[in-house]
Amino acid sequence: MKNILILGPGRAGKSTLSRMLKEKIPNYNLIHTDAIRNAIQFNLPCEYVEEFLNYKENNFFQKVLLNFLSEQSEQDKNSYGVILEGAQILPETLSNYSDIDNTIVIYIGHGKLSKKELFELVRKNDTEKDWSFYKTDVELEEYINEFYEKHLYLKQECEKYGFNYIDTSNNRSEILNELVENILKQI
C-alpha cells in the first residue's frame, strides 16, 4: 500500500480531500500534521517551540513528520496505509525522503488568485466546521497574506523539485473528486 501526502497552504482543500479519501479507503489512517504540531507546541518548553516548529528555516520538524510517516507505515504495510495531511513539508525536504517511491504526493494550492480573490473564496466556502468561519475579516486577512505567500513559494518549489502542484481555486469539488479517483488508481 502506498502512503498519501496531501500538502499545501491553508484553505486549499487538504482536509476536504483527506476526508474524501478516508471515506473511500477506511483501512488508511488519517493524520493531520497540525495535531502533531499542536501536541509539540503544548508540551515542549516555550524556548524551544518556535525554533523546532519553524519548518521554513529549519527542516527538523519536516524530517520528524516524514519519519513519523515511515514509522506508521512500517507497522503493518499490508493492512493499512497512512494519509498525512498538512502544510509543513516543503518540496526540498520531501525530495530527499527515502520512501518517496512508496508515497503519493499531492500539493494543492490557490492557482492564480489575488489576495482579495483568495479572501472572497475562503469566505464563500466557509462553514461552521472551518476554523476561518470564526475569524473576523481583519484576522482572516492576516492568514490570507500567509496563505498567499506560501502558495507562491510552494508553486515555485514544486516546479524546482518535480512535484505536481494542483490548482483547486476553480471547480474545487470536481478537481478534488478527480484527485480521489487518481489516487485510488495508484494505491
Side-chain angles (χ1 to χ4, degrees):
M1 299 181 117
K2 289 190 173 189
N3 293 314
I4 304 165
L5 277 172
I6 301 172
L7 306 164
R11 296 309 311 260
K14 298 182 307 289
S15 295
T16 302
L17 179 58
S18 298
R19 284 190 300 270
M20 291 168 70
L21 284 167
K22 179 66 177 159
E23 287 176 15
K24 298 277 187 183
I25 46 177
N27 58 327
Y28 269 64
N29 291 324
L30 173 55
I31 302 165
H32 301 277
T33 61
D34 284 349
I36 298 169
R37 185 199 67 214
N38 291 342
I40 292 167
Q41 201 167 21
F42 295 124
N43 291 292
L44 197 64
C46 292
E47 63 266 21
Y48 302 112
V49 171
E50 190 171 324
E51 181 182 345
F52 180 77
L53 295 178
N54 187 349
Y55 61 90
K56 292 177 185 172
E57 298 186 22
N58 174 359
N59 69 0
F60 185 70
F61 183 53
Q62 297 174 69
K63 289 179 180 179
V64 167
L65 293 172
L66 291 172
N67 186 55
F68 178 80
L69 177 64
S70 293
E71 291 295 320
Q72 287 295 304
S73 60
E74 281 299 315
Q75 289 182 16
D76 193 356
K77 285 184 191 178
N78 299 320
S79 297
Y80 71 89
V82 176
I83 303 166
L84 186 65
E85 174 268 319
Q88 295 89 359
I89 302 173
L90 301 176
E92 180 179 9
T93 302
L94 188 55
S95 69
N96 295 313
Y97 178 50
S98 62
D99 202 21
I100 196 73
D101 293 334
N102 191 42
T103 307
I104 299 168
V105 178
I106 305 292
Y107 276 99
I108 58 178
H110 305 122
K112 297 177 182 175
L113 297 179
S114 66
K115 289 180 186 180
K116 180 182 179 198
E117 291 168 324
L118 179 54
F119 179 88
E120 291 168 356
L121 180 70
V122 169
R123 279 298 186 225
K124 176 184 164 190
N125 293 308
D126 261 344
T127 68
E128 290 184 21
K129 293 179 182 180
D130 297 315
W131 62 266
S132 54
F133 183 84
Y134 300 98
K135 299 293 180 191
T136 67
D137 285 354
V138 172
E139 291 171 324
L140 183 58
E141 282 180 11
E142 291 177 31
Y143 285 100
I144 293 298
N145 289 334
E146 183 181 323
F147 298 164
Y148 184 78
E149 296 303 319
K150 181 157 191 173
H151 155 73
L152 293 177
Y153 178 76
L154 283 176
K155 190 173 180 182
Q156 175 185 357
E157 291 295 294
C158 282
E159 289 174 15
K160 182 177 178 180
Y161 291 99
F163 293 106
N164 288 329
Y165 191 77
I166 299 157
D167 178 357
T168 59
S169 59
N170 294 314
N171 303 320
R172 180 177 168 149
S173 295
E174 184 180 313
I175 291 166
L176 295 180
N177 282 318
E178 287 175 14
L179 283 171
V180 167
E181 293 307 314
N182 288 336
I183 291 168
L184 292 176
K185 289 175 187 174
Q186 294 179 58
I187 60 171

